[in-house]
């Protein structure tokens, strides 16, 4: 059995190497929700960083329409020490119109819960939200961003993780002037009569 598993792993390894590194990186970046560093990309495809850097440069040139290729509606951009796909700025209006037409009239329960986490814990990353809710929140976060209720605030320089905050639109929807007007959560909890002062790292009883 051990020999069979070793052979199977070797076959998979050879199959991966048979695919050009450019295509492997393109596939990984297509599903990545956070900017990916050259080191992490190299580890994912089993290639040295210089080779990954050259492949990224080729992809950027390809998507930008250099040397006669077709300029794509998206671009590969370096942000916070990592690489990620973004819609080209001159197509923002087209994407916004599509999102407006596709957005549902009401938020799901999952979206409402995620929105509450962002409102009380911002700035916060996807992984931190997922840790609090104990579920994958990638799709819900994309929905909230698309609806303009949360937005990207900054990218962590060390991890490349995007931090999200609520938008002015949310304040308008809630009919409040600032986040300070959000109600305290502690009175809603079974043991929250005395607030959260005893819980380390949770300021003002808001989260």
């Amino acid at each position: 059995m051990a020999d069979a598993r070793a052979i199977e792993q070797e076959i998979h390894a050879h199959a991966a190497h048979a695919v050009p590194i450019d295509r492997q990186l393109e596939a990984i970046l297509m599903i990545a929700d956070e900017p990916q560093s050259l080191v992490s990309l190299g580890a994912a495809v089993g290639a040295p960083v210089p080779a990954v850097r050259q492949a990224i440069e080729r992809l950027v040139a390809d998507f930008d329409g250099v040397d006669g290729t077709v300029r794509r509606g998206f671009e590969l951009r370096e942000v916070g020490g990592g690489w990620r796909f973004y819609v080209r700025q001159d197509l923002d209006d087209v994407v916004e119109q599509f999102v407006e037409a596709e957005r549902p009239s009401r938020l799901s329960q999952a979206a409402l819960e995620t929105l509450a986490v962002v409102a009380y814990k911002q700035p916060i990353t996807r992984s931190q939200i997922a840790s609090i809710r104990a579920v994958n929140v990638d799709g819900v976060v994309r929905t909230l961003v698309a609806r303009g209720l949360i937005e990207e605030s900054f990218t962590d320089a060390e991890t490349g993780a995007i931090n999200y905050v609520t938008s002015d639109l949310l304040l308008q929807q809630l009919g409040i002037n600032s986040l300070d007007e959000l109600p305290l959560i502690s009175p809603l909890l079974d043991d929250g009569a005395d607030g959260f002062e005893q819980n380390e790292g949770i300021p003002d009883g808001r989260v």
Side-chain angles (χ1 to χ4, degrees):
M1 290 295 294
D3 291 339
R5 283 196 295 269
I7 293 174
E8 183 179 358
Q9 292 175 356
E10 186 175 353
I11 292 175
H12 285 308
H14 283 304
H17 287 301
V19 179
I21 184 175
D22 298 32
R23 301 288 76 81
Q24 295 182 54
L25 294 174
E26 186 177 351
I28 291 172
L29 291 167
M30 187 64 68
I31 65 169
D33 290 311
E34 305 288 353
Q36 302 297 307
S37 68
L38 295 177
V39 173
S40 63
L41 289 172
V45 300
V49 169
V52 173
R53 181 182 295 107
Q54 294 174 1
I56 289 293
E57 292 174 352
R58 290 193 297 269
L59 289 175
V60 170
D62 182 18
F63 301 146
D64 288 348
V66 177
D67 298 330
T69 57
V70 177
R71 187 171 184 266
R72 312 294 179 82
F74 56 87
E75 63 180 330
L76 187 54
R77 189 190 311 165
E78 185 177 16
V79 177
W83 292 86
R84 184 189 180 198
F85 282 125
Y86 288 87
V87 173
R88 292 194 184 277
Q89 187 173 0
D90 56 353
L91 294 173
D92 282 347
D93 291 341
V94 175
V95 175
E96 183 176 356
Q97 291 175 14
F98 172 78
V99 171
E100 288 288 341
E102 293 292 317
R103 70 171 57 179
S105 58
R106 294 185 178 182
L107 291 174
S108 66
Q109 183 66 29
L112 289 172
E113 293 174 1
T114 300
L115 183 57
V117 171
V118 177
Y120 283 95
K121 292 286 290 181
Q122 61 186 307
I124 188 170
T125 66
R126 290 186 193 224
S127 61
Q128 291 171 332
I129 299 172
S131 177
I132 293 172
R133 294 202 57 230
V135 295
N136 185 290
V137 297
D138 292 347
V140 177
V141 169
R142 283 194 293 268
T143 296
L144 294 174
V145 170
R147 297 193 64 171
L149 297 175
I150 66 173
E151 56 192 23
E152 297 180 4
S153 176
F154 64 92
T155 301
D156 188 281
E158 294 184 0
T159 66
I162 296 174
N163 282 259
Y164 295 89
V165 296
T166 52
S167 66
D168 291 339
L169 176 61
L170 177 63
L171 297 181
Q172 297 173 21
Q173 296 289 338
L174 295 177
I176 60 178
N177 294 314
S178 73
L179 296 172
D180 292 334
E181 297 180 39
L182 288 174
L184 297 178
I185 291 180
S186 53
L188 303 178
L189 303 179
D190 293 338
D191 58 349
D194 298 325
F196 281 95
E197 290 79 8
Q198 61 186 359
N199 294 335
E200 182 179 357
I202 303 180
D204 300 331
R206 290 195 171 273
V207 292

